């Protein structure tokens, strides 16, 4: 068998952090080609192309400063169309936590990749703040993969002593957790901005998890395993995002500054977009179509505060009157 070639499409902080892991791992294994390509959206940083900086200095100075990428990771120009350039038998894994707009309100990113590229796509989601992964602090993650052989290949490609992987076959649940927890994190940020305290935030996390489980049962095509929510992609990712993620941080600033989400994205996120509000809009669209808005008060209230001008001070009512308490 010829060695498997690995390519990373995307070069933000998470793409760069995972490139650091994969670049080291493929050097230790005969299964993989020792050179990995990384596709980057070209930007000019201090007069130099970002691709040139990474190729020569082996550092993504914009999205993951202070970390040296292995010398076997190099970059080709970003390509608008990947279709037609993929070898038969290729398979992929999505590390993108979010959803896109679909006919029913939302569509999984893996489904879009699967349909466009006609390849098998797995997902990786977990409590994985990119800078901490790059710093090699211990963390866990979850791979959702229906093909057992592919799951083992991905595990060999990415697992390290400090980046521990569990493979489950409940792919849709793994991926929907990665998107929905960002809505809950916005609610946690509202709590912090309103100075509600840790008890209230704990209630947001618990009620948010209940809505995640209920929504997964509504949305996912196959059976939903409650055990998946106890993996890193579920409760662990939810906790870390509600205490340390960008959605929480920007939502707190939204309360304290009175600025719009769009303004705060530009000011605080170095050009990156916030997933929580956008995901709440896609979820709300689906809930409205199914006449189920009232059954998901936390998700719905986050949407209404972000997009419909509902006062953030009214956020507490979605906790006080939650169906879980009746």
């Amino acid at each position: 068998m010829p060695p498997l070639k690995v390519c990373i499409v995307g070069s933000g902080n998470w793409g760069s952090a995972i490139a650091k892991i994969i670049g080291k791992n493929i050097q230790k294994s005969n299964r993989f080609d020792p050179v990995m390509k990384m596709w980057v959206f070209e930007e000019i940083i201090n007069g130099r192309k970002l691709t040139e900086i990474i190729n020569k200095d082996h550092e993504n100075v914009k999205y993951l400063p202070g970390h040296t990428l292995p010398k076997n990771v190099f970059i080709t120009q970003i390509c608008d169309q990947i279709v037609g350039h993929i070898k038969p038998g290729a398979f992929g894994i999505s590390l993108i936590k979010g959803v896109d707009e679909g006919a029913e309100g939302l569509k999984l990113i893996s489904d879009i990749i699967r349909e466009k590229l006609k390849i098998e796509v797995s997902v990786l989601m977990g409590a994985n703040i990119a800078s901490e992964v790059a710093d090699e602090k211990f963390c866990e993650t979850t791979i959702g993969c229906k093909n057992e052989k592919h799951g083992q290949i991905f595990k060999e490609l990415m697992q390290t002593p400090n980046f521990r992987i569990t493979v489950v076959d409940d792919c849709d649940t793994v991926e929907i957790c990665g998107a929905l927890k960002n809505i809950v994190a916005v609610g946690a940020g509202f709590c912090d901005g309103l100075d509600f305290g840790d008890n209230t935030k704990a209630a947001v996390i618990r009620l948010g998890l209940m809505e995640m489980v209920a929504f997964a049962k509504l949305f996912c095509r196959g059976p939903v395993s409650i055990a998946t929510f106890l993996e890193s992609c579920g409760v662990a990712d939810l906790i870390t995002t509600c205490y340390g993620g960008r959605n929480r941080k920007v939502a707190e600033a939204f309360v304290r500054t009175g600025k719009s989400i769009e303004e705060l994205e530009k000011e605080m996120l170095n050009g990156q977009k916030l997933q929580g509000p956008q995901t709440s809009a896609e979820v709300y669209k689906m809930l409205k179509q199914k006449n189920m808005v009232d059954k998901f008060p936390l998700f719905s209230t986050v949407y209404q505060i972000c997009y419909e001008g509902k006062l953030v001070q009214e956020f507490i009512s979605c906790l006080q009157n939650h169906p879980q308490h009746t």
Side-chain angles (χ1 to χ4, degrees):
M1 284 286 290
L4 295 169
K5 289 189 174 180
V6 182
C7 172
I8 291 184
V9 180
S11 59
N13 52 4
W14 188 213
S16 298
I18 216 71
K20 185 178 176 185
I21 287 175
I22 294 174
K24 287 179 179 176
N25 277 356
I26 61 176
Q27 290 173 320
K28 303 174 197 166
S29 169
N30 294 327
R31 193 198 286 266
F32 305 105
D33 189 299
V35 173
M36 181 179 72
K37 294 187 179 180
M38 184 188 211
W39 291 17
V40 168
F41 179 77
E42 189 69 280
E43 298 176 75
I44 303 299
I45 311 291
N46 297 327
R48 293 174 71 197
K49 288 181 179 179
L50 183 56
T51 49
E52 178 196 317
I53 294 169
I54 298 176
N55 281 335
K56 289 193 174 172
D57 302 344
H58 303 286
E59 182 184 355
N60 189 333
V61 292
K62 179 164 185 183
Y63 296 112
L64 198 71
H67 288 279
T68 301
L69 299 177
K71 289 186 169 55
N72 57 327
V73 179
F74 76 95
I75 297 160
T76 60
Q77 280 281 33
I78 193 74
C79 185
D80 291 327
Q81 286 290 333
I82 303 175
V83 179
H85 300 279
I86 297 175
K87 288 185 178 177
F91 53 96
I93 185 164
S94 171
L95 279 67
I96 301 164
K97 292 179 179 175
V99 288
D100 205 350
E101 188 169 356
E104 287 206 331
L106 80 167
K107 192 163 192 174
L108 296 176
I109 300 294
S110 66
D111 281 338
I112 295 167
I113 299 169
R114 206 172 282 120
E115 288 166 16
K116 291 198 170 192
L117 302 186
K118 306 289 188 279
I119 62 171
E120 198 171 310
V121 183
S122 301
V123 295
L124 181 148
M125 306 282 152
N128 309 139
I129 292 171
S131 58
E132 294 184 12
V133 174
D135 283 336
E136 299 180 24
K137 292 177 178 173
F138 180 85
C139 67
E140 303 172 308
T141 200
T142 313
I143 287 177
C145 182
K146 293 194 185 299
N147 183 313
E148 195 175 330
K149 182 183 165 194
H150 291 176
Q152 290 312 305
I153 289 171
F154 287 131
K155 191 166 182 173
E156 184 181 335
L157 191 61
M158 288 182 271
Q159 182 159 269
T160 73
N162 282 330
F163 190 65
R164 308 308 293 177
I165 294 171
T166 302
V167 182
V168 301
D169 64 4
D170 195 2
C171 296
D172 285 0
T173 305
V174 171
E175 187 167 8
I176 203 70
C177 279
L180 296 178
K181 54 94 186 181
N182 287 321
I183 306 177
V184 185
V186 172
F190 291 160
C191 269
D192 290 341
L194 293 163
D195 293 319
F196 281 165
D198 286 339
N199 292 339
T200 311
K201 195 196 272 196
V204 169
I205 292 170
R206 188 189 78 82
L207 294 169
L209 181 62
M210 300 305 290
E211 290 194 16
M212 286 168 62
V213 172
F215 189 88
K217 288 179 178 175
L218 190 67
F219 173 79
C220 294
R221 290 157 290 204
V224 170
S225 170
I226 297 301
T228 304
F229 290 91
L230 299 178
E231 297 291 349
S232 183
C233 63
V235 67
D237 196 12
L238 179 60
I239 291 168
T240 196
T241 310
C242 286
Y243 279 91
R246 73 180 77 154
N247 288 277
R248 186 220 64 79
K249 191 163 119 186
V250 174
E252 180 182 5
F254 175 83
V255 180
R256 296 198 189 279
T257 67
K259 294 179 181 177
S260 70
I261 294 290
E262 292 77 17
E263 285 177 280
L264 293 167
E265 280 177 334
K266 286 176 191 161
E267 286 178 21
M268 300 173 68
L269 296 185
N270 200 21
Q272 294 181 301
K273 296 296 285 180
L274 203 63
Q275 310 100 319
Q278 188 183 332
T279 304
S280 76
E282 305 303 345
V283 164
Y284 189 79
K285 183 178 172 185
M286 180 175 167
L287 293 175
K288 209 164 182 185
Q289 284 177 346
K290 294 185 181 291
N291 202 24
M292 296 189 77
V293 167
D294 292 344
K295 295 194 183 303
F296 294 83
L298 197 153
F299 286 177
S300 301
T301 301
V302 166
Y303 165 76
Q304 289 159 350
I305 290 169
C306 289
Y307 293 106
E308 292 191 342
K310 185 169 187 169
L311 291 176
V312 73
Q313 287 74 15
E314 293 177 33
F315 178 69
I316 191 73
S317 66
C318 80
L319 308 177
Q320 293 167 329
N321 305 315
H322 202 281
Q324 273 285 309
H325 299 141
T326 57

